[in-house]
Amino acid sequence: MLALAALHLGAAAIVWLLRGPLEPRLAALDQRALTELTARFEPALAPGLLAALGPQGAVYPVLAGAALLGALVGRWRSVPLVALSLALCLALTAELTWMLGRLADHAAPLVAQPALPVPAEWRGPWQDGNAFPSRHALLMAALGATLVRAWPPLVLIGCPVALVSAAVPVYFGAAWASDALTGLVLGLFVAEAARFTARQAICLAIAGVHRLRRSVARSPALGTPLRVA
């Protein structure tokens, strides 16, 4: 619980920084990314990008599967830890996106500037209205970090995929560069909080099983106490 509380406090602090001292600099970054990426939207590239690195493509299950496979190859005993960490990453991403979206209202580029050259058919798959933080960038960073923790050599896959994927919603006008950057940073914290919480939950479950076995072995209904290895 301490890890989750620290995660939420840190997220609130990030909101204060981005909407306070850092806002002027991030506004310049947002405008530059809008000019260099979103304003140069090319419909011919959209299907491939969305299918490979978009929120409705295969990138989420591919990264999750790679993390489980990496855990199996690296240390097979860590597979339950990685599986629970991945589930917690999904839950924390949804919860943080909901919470921060109510703390800071940051309309997506497509909402703030409807004239951007992104056809209507490519606007639907992304989160609506408020783009802060980018849910896609956050989840990609969390999955990528979990992938690397599962088996460190996979850093050659996890980091590039997470970084490129974070730029995709900016390209589609679904997020500002600052939204994607915030998502990347929060995703790293989400991955660590999820792993810590998963580890604690597994340790508590193992301790509970051992206590149950000892209590059953010493139960009077079974006669003499049994020896538990």
Side-chain angles (χ1 to χ4, degrees):
M1 297 301 294
L2 289 177
L4 299 181
L7 174 64
H8 286 78
L9 288 175
I14 288 177
V15 172
W16 176 80
L17 283 173
L18 297 181
R19 296 294 165 257
L22 297 179
E23 187 170 12
R25 296 184 179 182
L26 291 176
L29 173 65
D30 288 341
Q31 191 58 45
R32 181 170 182 178
L34 187 72
T35 303
E36 297 294 332
L37 286 177
T38 315
R40 298 184 178 184
F41 183 84
E42 179 55 57
L45 299 177
L49 282 176
L50 199 61
L53 300 173
Q56 296 181 344
V59 65
Y60 296 157
V62 166
L63 282 184
L68 293 172
L69 182 60
L72 190 63
V73 172
R75 290 185 302 169
W76 65 269
R77 293 181 183 273
S78 67
V79 170
L81 173 63
V82 173
L84 185 54
S85 297
L86 291 170
L88 287 172
C89 282
L90 294 175
L92 288 174
T93 295
E95 195 272 335
L96 270 183
T97 304
W98 178 86
M99 183 191 79
L100 295 179
R102 278 145 185 80
L103 289 178
D105 186 15
H106 200 204
L110 291 176
V111 176
Q113 301 183 25
L116 286 170
V118 181
E121 61 267 25
W122 303 118
R123 302 187 181 200
W126 305 96
Q127 65 193 82
D128 297 327
N130 190 4
F132 181 85
S134 171
R135 181 173 58 237
H136 184 61
L138 199 162
L139 184 54
M140 288 301 301
L143 293 177
T146 303
L147 175 70
V148 174
R149 291 297 299 268
W151 195 36
L154 291 175
V155 66
L156 298 176
I157 298 176
C159 288
V161 170
L163 290 173
V164 175
S165 297
V168 173
V170 181
Y171 181 72
F172 277 81
W176 300 93
S178 59
D179 300 325
L181 181 61
T182 303
L184 286 174
V185 174
L186 286 176
L188 298 178
F189 286 104
V190 163
E192 291 304 312
R195 187 177 180 86
F196 180 84
T197 304
R199 187 184 298 277
Q200 295 300 311
I202 291 174
C203 289
L204 288 175
I206 293 175
V209 170
H210 284 319
R211 285 196 297 269
L212 180 61
R213 290 180 61 190
R214 286 195 295 268
S215 64
V216 169
R218 295 171 182 172
S219 175
L222 298 178
T224 57
L226 298 177
R227 291 185 179 180
V228 181

